[in-house]
Amino acid sequence: MTTLAPRRGRHGRDGSHALAAALVSAVLVCGSGVIAAAPVTHTVVIEGVKYTPETLTVKGGETVVWVNKDPFPHTVTAKGAFDSHDIAAGKSWKYTARKAGEYAYICTLHPNMKGTLKVE
Ligand SMILES: [Cu+2]
């Protein structure tokens, strides 16, 4: 009787250790990018006729959202790579980076607005 109770207790603790170890390895696998399970989203704010941050580095498969906080439209245009077309005031536009490279983009409505998306 008295020997059973401690053994049950030990089994319970072993179970939690195994679960904790499984959770830790799952996080490590995700962190190393082996499994692209958890979607990663980056945000670029468009405000004051500029992109913030101006240069953003992401990994392939990650998503970037440009949020236009100005009271007029902007675009996010990298010739030959991606083009948001007009993003109305208060709206946003999403792009999932698939191909590694460095993409300089502008706003076609305000060509002095410049940004760079680096995809690793
Ligand atoms: Cu603009």
Side-chain angles (χ1 to χ4, degrees), residues 46 49 51 72-75 107-110 113:
I46 308 173
V49 197
Y51 306 103
F72 42 82
H74 291 291
T75 79
C107 170
T108 57
L109 306 170
H110 313 96
M113 285 175 69

Side-chain angles (χ1 to χ4, degrees), residues 56-82:
L56 177 69
T57 304
V58 306
K59 294 192 175 1
E62 294 181 348
T63 298
V64 184
V65 182
W66 282 265
V67 181
N68 182 10
K69 293 194 174 176
D70 272 338
F72 42 82
H74 291 291
T75 79
V76 173
T77 308
K79 232 180 153 196
F82 51 84

